[in-house]
Amino acid sequence: MLEKNSSAVVAHTPVYRWCCLDEHLLKPAIAEPRPSIGYLADAANGGVLEQGVQAFYRMPDKASRSAYLEKRLEASSGLQMPELLREHWVEETGYSFPSGHAFAASALAGWFMFMILCAGRRHWLLPVFWGWVVAVCYSRVLLGVHRPQDVMAGTVEGMALVAVAVLASSGILGWRKKQNQEPL
């Protein structure tokens, strides 16, 4: 019961909604392939995909691309990679630009940092949140599923959402404060 309710709460957050817009509108419109898919399609790396990048992305959905990639990687004996990386590449078959992980990390960290600054306490947590954002962004590039510009765009998106949320909450709080003031 709790899990069902908590997923309903998450589905109504601005971060989740923005991620859905990115995933279903922005990413397909820009259609930037993931670096990992380009690597696997490259003949110099064994041409694991047996087709070009564009043909791979013409498959109907991420699930069919993942299933195809799983089969091709199993059939490929020449490409050696760690199992966790292989699993991640099979899972991440959507488009690359912008990075949803960078967006979510920067939006959540930015909001928590705003709340810390408003509270005026625990400022030592600010570098922890920045470090977390940097680690998430760096890991996406290190895993080969994003380029630096993908994570930069995702980070800018996340910070933009935080800026809008801060301005909106400041405006709402200021309006409520004015409403609660008694006339002289």
Side-chain angles (χ1 to χ4, degrees), residues 113 116-117 120-131:
M113 287 188 282
I116 289 168
L117 291 172
R121 301 183 289 165
R122 298 186 179 148
H123 287 90
W124 61 270
L125 283 172
L126 296 175
V128 173
F129 282 112
W130 274 118

Side-chain angles (χ1 to χ4, degrees), residues 90-134:
V90 166
E91 180 69 27
E92 298 288 340
T93 59
Y95 290 112
S96 178
F97 186 88
S99 169
H101 283 80
F103 163 73
S106 62
L108 291 172
W111 182 254
F112 285 129
M113 287 188 282
F114 169 69
M115 298 303 285
I116 289 168
L117 291 172
C118 286
R121 301 183 289 165
R122 298 186 179 148
H123 287 90
W124 61 270
L125 283 172
L126 296 175
V128 173
F129 282 112
W130 274 118
W132 178 62
V133 171
V134 169

